[in-house]
Amino acid sequence: MAWLCHPVTLVAVALLIVNDHLLKRVWPGAVTGKLSDVAGMLVTPPLLALLLSPIVSAAARFPVLKARLTADRVPPVPVSRSRSDDWAALAAIMLTGAAFALVKATAAGAETAERVWAVFTPSATVVADATDLAALPALTLAWLVWRRVRPAFSDRTVRQAERTVRPIRVVLALPAAVLAVTATSAAGAPSDSSVVQVEADDGQIFAFLDPQREALVTNDQGRSWRRMEDRPSAPPQTRACVPGEPRLCYRVLPPRLKVERSADGGATWSVDWQISPGRQGWLERNHEPPYLNAKALPVASMAVAVLPVPGGHVVAVADGADGVALRDPSGQWRRLSLADDRDNLSESSAPPLSSTGSQILAETGMAVLGAIVMLLVVLAITGWAIAPVVITIASLLVPWWLGSGPRTPEDSLMTIVFWGMGLFTAMGGAAGMLASKRPKTSRRHLVVLPAAFSAVYLPFLSWSAGWLDDYGTARLLAGVLYVLVFAVSAGAAIRSRARRRPARQPAG
């Protein structure tokens, strides 16, 4: 943990978070891309070393166990903890370098990494780029940081201090490092065009794009499209009837992704196609602009047109950033979205209506914050000093409240400042907790962390997967589960504190 909390590593963690979630969105390009690679080379080895250290230590003790089993009087072979830590650190650095080189130098490595990364960030894309290998020398700095930290472990006083501050590092530094490495921003950028109007004329369907004011045209019911310079001939129509059948009409209802059908000239209407409000909200997140200074594109059914064809008619609906919805003569609907080259509309380009774990980065951060706050409250109930606990909680909650929902680069920059100040104060509050007289706390209270995190995270995970359609329901369920976990945890903490109180002696 000392390696992970060295100032160089902490700066790399901060750089990784700021670069992935702010700088890449404000100044996209090669420089911001390489900054993430360099920071990753400094943060990943300490995290891997935490996982490898127990394995290396166990392997180092195996000869001792073998000797004791094969001979009664073989003297035990001493095992140096610092030596095993050296091997763990070296293995972590070599594994990081080898994996990074494989991913960036080969298409197979990039594809494998993308599948693994989908567990953490389903929308992220990993691209093989040999120029990224220029970040590998940063591993030398990571090794030098380890060599700087390592000699301190030979001092018994330093080891005792390390055990004292370890809870602070587990609660504050470790989640930040894991979040920085795993919750990277998605590489794939949403479309910067939207279909704002459709027209049907002379056997063709025209889908007009904004802001380019160009059109994609199809004459085969949407199977293929071509781009052309053209402008709409009339304002967008939210209602259209089948030529020759004036009683059969369709209409759209912005801001919903929804089409209604009438067979009696508009006297009554029924839903013919729609995306539920919950899935539409998920699509709106999926189509959010990749850059903070970019204009948000609407995701809504904005215009409708009807084209008569042999055997029936085709209905075309302009759905904004989501592209076009087409109804074929048999009555089947399909969504077509802009391809990467912006010259075609296809079903394969349409984003799915759900993706487990995607588009919930803010909710994941909220779950981490909620878990830390609940643990601090439980510690206060068990008898830890109240004032440092309150300072620590306030230092975490105030930046979250002040920086919620940033929309401009300036707002996001202020959010980073708020969080920097808050985390600095939170570490001071946590240090005050450890410095004050504190009761003996059972490790069972640490169960609060995964329980509180799961209570908040799992409902939003279910919403992203489509198991819960409504976001409000997921939010309500997360709140209810969080309160239940808190009630159970607080009750256990109160009982634990009551058991530690000495029984009163009867008056004599």
Side-chain angles (χ1 to χ4, degrees):
M1 288 300 295
W3 188 10
L4 185 61
C5 291
H6 188 277
V8 172
T9 310
L10 291 179
V11 169
V13 170
L15 177 62
L16 199 56
I17 294 175
V18 173
N19 190 61
D20 273 354
H21 302 289
L22 176 61
L23 299 183
K24 281 185 177 180
R25 300 178 67 183
V26 179
W27 300 293
V31 174
T32 51
K34 299 299 185 289
L35 277 178
S36 288
D37 296 333
V38 172
M41 294 298 99
L42 297 174
V43 177
T44 304
L47 288 174
L48 278 179
L50 285 176
L51 299 176
L52 295 176
S53 184
I55 300 174
V56 174
S57 297
R61 291 189 179 93
F62 179 74
V64 178
L65 177 62
K66 184 176 180 179
R68 290 180 178 177
L69 291 175
T70 56
D72 294 333
R73 297 184 179 180
V74 174
V77 179
V79 179
S80 170
R81 178 181 176 181
S82 62
R83 185 68 172 171
S84 63
D85 287 341
D86 273 345
W87 281 110
L90 182 61
I93 289 177
M94 294 179 64
L95 183 60
T96 300
F100 185 76
L102 182 65
V103 168
K104 292 300 181 180
T106 66
E111 183 180 355
T112 302
E114 184 172 324
R115 292 178 179 177
V116 172
W117 227 251
V119 177
F120 307 103
T121 310
S123 56
T125 302
V126 180
V127 179
D129 183 359
T131 63
D132 289 343
L133 297 178
L136 284 175
L139 291 174
T140 304
L141 178 57
W143 175 253
L144 293 176
V145 171
W146 163 249
R147 297 297 295 179
R148 178 77 176 177
V149 171
R150 177 186 174 276
F153 287 105
S154 61
D155 189 327
R156 182 176 181 180
T157 304
V158 173
R159 289 200 304 269
Q160 291 176 348
E162 163 69 16
R163 286 193 292 269
T164 301
V165 300
R166 188 180 182 89
I168 299 179
R169 293 169 171 171
V170 171
V171 172
L172 297 178
L174 185 58
V178 173
L179 188 65
V181 171
T182 58
T184 59
S185 59
S191 172
D192 57 358
S193 302
S194 63
V195 180
V196 295
Q197 188 172 342
V198 288
E199 292 183 359
D201 183 45
D202 194 24
Q204 301 180 108
I205 295 175
F206 299 79
F208 295 94
L209 306 180
D210 182 71
Q212 291 90 347
R213 285 302 177 185
E214 297 177 322
L216 294 177
V217 186
T218 179
N219 56 10
D220 55 8
Q221 301 181 24
R223 286 185 288 272
S224 63
W225 299 78
R226 68 181 188 279
R227 183 182 288 268
M228 63 179 294
E229 296 285 343
D230 201 355
R231 290 183 177 273
S233 60
Q237 302 296 312
T238 59
R239 173 175 170 173
C241 298
V242 179
E245 298 182 57
R247 295 183 59 82
L248 184 56
C249 303
Y250 296 86
R251 72 176 182 182
V252 294
L253 300 172
R256 288 290 313 281
L257 285 171
K258 184 177 182 179
V259 182
E260 291 185 338
R261 182 175 185 267
S262 174
D264 51 15
T268 59
W269 296 89
S270 60
V271 176
D272 200 65
W273 173 83
Q274 69 173 333
I275 301 295
S276 68
R279 294 303 91 201
Q280 183 175 343
W282 194 90
L283 279 177
E284 288 171 353
R285 289 197 181 193
N286 194 82
H287 288 294
E288 284 182 352
Y291 313 124
L292 289 174
N293 53 0
K295 177 184 176 182
L297 301 176
V299 180
S301 297
M302 306 168 68
V304 61
V306 181
L307 177 70
V309 297
H313 57 274
V314 174
V315 181
V317 177
D319 282 341
D322 200 49
V324 172
L326 284 183
R327 182 188 191 271
D328 63 25
S330 67
Q332 296 295 318
W333 285 89
R334 53 198 176 104
R335 293 168 50 234
L336 309 177
S337 292
L338 285 166
D340 291 338
D341 57 8
R342 312 293 191 265
D343 288 333
N344 191 27
L345 288 162
S346 66
E347 283 188 89
S348 60
S349 299
L353 295 178
S354 62
S355 179
T356 305
S358 182
Q359 310 299 334
I360 54 170
L361 179 61
E363 288 78 6
T364 304
M366 184 170 61
V368 172
L369 180 62
I372 295 174
V373 169
M374 187 179 295
L375 176 62
L376 294 173
V377 172
V378 168
L379 291 178
I381 294 174
T382 60
W384 287 58
I386 297 295
V389 171
V390 172
I391 292 174
T392 306
I393 293 176
S395 301
L396 294 173
L397 290 181
V398 171
W400 173 76
W401 178 69
L402 291 175
S404 59
R407 287 300 176 192
T408 67
E410 292 78 11
D411 292 338
S412 294
L413 196 56
M414 288 304 299
T415 300
I416 299 298
V417 173
F418 289 148
W419 272 111
M421 296 171 59
L423 290 176
F424 182 79
T425 309
M427 293 184 69
M433 291 171 56
L434 294 173
S436 60
K437 185 178 180 180
R438 60 186 188 274
K440 184 178 180 181
T441 305
S442 173
R443 292 185 177 181
R444 289 178 296 178
H445 293 312
L446 294 178
V447 177
V448 170
L449 281 174
F453 175 82
S454 300
V456 177
Y457 179 72
L458 290 180
F460 294 112
L461 181 70
S462 301
W463 175 73
S464 69
W467 305 327
L468 287 177
D469 181 70
D470 183 55
Y471 183 82
T473 302
R475 185 166 49 189
L476 177 62
L477 182 59
V480 171
L481 291 177
Y482 188 81
V483 171
L484 289 176
V485 171
F486 175 74
V488 173
S489 303
I494 292 172
R495 290 192 297 271
S496 175
R497 184 171 183 176
R499 285 194 296 267
R500 293 198 308 270
R501 290 177 178 173
R504 292 185 177 180
Q505 298 294 330

